[in-house]
Amino acid sequence: MGVLNVTVVEAKDLPPKDASTTEVFVSVQVDGTVLHVPVKPADANPKWGDVLTFQVADPATSKVVVEVKDKVTKKKDKEGKEGKEKKDKEKKEKKDKGDKEKKDKQDKDGKVTEGSVGKAETGLAKLHKGQAENLWLPLAPGGQVHIQLLATDFGVVEEKKEEKKDKEGKEEKKDKEGKGSALISFYIVLYLFLTLPQKKDKGDK
């Protein structure tokens, strides 16, 4: 288990919507947990800056799924269609009696529904512990979302610069010493070969 902070920074170049789109927001899912940032007025380049915290089961396989959503308000017809829609709704409620969950919400302006503007996902395996990583994720079908991921207690641990430099220096010194020892051994063997008397062949007198 690990703790992951996801900062939803902003989105840009979101696909244009019609006039009925009133608000836009972002949902983030990690290992089945879904959290949302507050809604903003409909805009092609909305900004948030909100931080969401998740528990990560397995950083090697877990993913962050980001979805930008909008809220669409369907205005009521003031010329009489509202009555017909009300009757149709009553019939449907009778037919679907027992179904307590309703997808649409009601407000003073009309019916509000939620739709998907775009979705993206990214893995966590390459995150560095304690280091924030900024990502611009392309949304399908269009636009981008900017998030920041911070693995607080998991991820790749990088050596400190001083420790890394010291380690590299020791390895370099060890390598030079090894080469020097090999060179000394070579000269000793060469010296012995040149100075020691050679054995005569059996045929020599």
Side-chain angles (χ1 to χ4, degrees):
M1 295 291 289
V3 177
L4 174 71
N5 290 335
V6 180
T7 302
V8 180
V9 183
E10 61 183 317
K12 69 176 182 179
D13 302 329
L14 297 180
K17 292 288 183 177
D18 56 37
S20 61
T21 300
T22 57
E23 296 172 314
V24 63
F25 65 101
V26 176
S27 71
V28 182
Q29 177 177 337
V30 178
D31 291 337
T33 300
V34 181
L35 299 177
H36 305 272
V37 298
V39 296
K40 295 286 185 179
D43 190 338
N45 304 291
K47 299 181 185 297
W48 287 277
D50 296 274
V51 181
L52 307 175
T53 301
F54 296 87
Q55 293 290 331
V56 179
D58 183 2
T61 58
S62 296
K63 293 183 178 180
V64 176
V65 180
V66 183
E67 185 172 14
V68 179
K69 296 183 176 182
D70 61 8
K71 289 189 174 183
V72 178
T73 301
K74 295 182 179 179
K75 300 292 183 181
K76 294 180 179 179
D77 191 337
K78 295 182 180 180
E79 296 180 357
K81 292 185 178 180
E82 181 181 353
K84 184 177 182 301
E85 291 178 357
K86 184 176 180 181
K87 290 181 180 179
D88 292 339
K89 181 181 177 182
E90 289 175 351
K91 290 180 181 179
K92 185 177 180 181
E93 286 178 347
K94 290 180 180 179
K95 183 179 179 181
D96 299 333
K97 188 176 181 180
D99 185 3
K100 296 181 181 180
E101 294 183 1
K102 295 181 180 179
K103 185 178 180 181
D104 298 327
K105 300 178 181 179
Q106 296 293 325
D107 67 2
K108 62 181 180 180
D109 294 324
K111 184 179 291 184
V112 178
T113 59
E114 295 179 359
S116 178
V117 177
K119 182 184 289 187
E121 65 177 47
T122 184
L124 306 176
K126 295 183 179 180
L127 291 181
H128 290 77
K129 183 178 179 180
Q131 295 185 18
E133 181 173 352
N134 285 282
L135 300 173
W136 276 99
L137 302 178
L139 297 168
Q144 299 181 72
V145 61
H146 177 197
I147 63 173
Q148 184 185 88
L149 303 179
L150 175 61
T152 61
D153 56 0
F154 69 91
V156 180
V157 179
E158 287 190 346
E159 294 179 314
K160 292 182 180 179
K161 290 184 178 180
E162 293 180 359
E163 294 178 353
K164 187 176 182 180
K165 186 176 181 180
D166 184 56
K167 184 178 179 181
E168 290 176 349
K170 288 181 179 179
E171 290 178 351
E172 185 178 355
K173 182 179 179 181
K174 185 177 180 181
D175 184 56
K176 288 181 179 179
E177 289 176 349
K179 290 180 179 179
S181 298
L183 188 61
I184 292 173
S185 299
F186 171 77
Y187 281 118
I188 290 174
V189 172
L190 181 62
Y191 173 79
L192 293 174
F193 177 79
L194 295 175
T195 57
L196 292 178
Q198 303 295 318
K199 292 182 180 181
K200 295 182 179 180
D201 294 335
K202 293 181 179 180
D204 296 338
K205 293 182 179 181

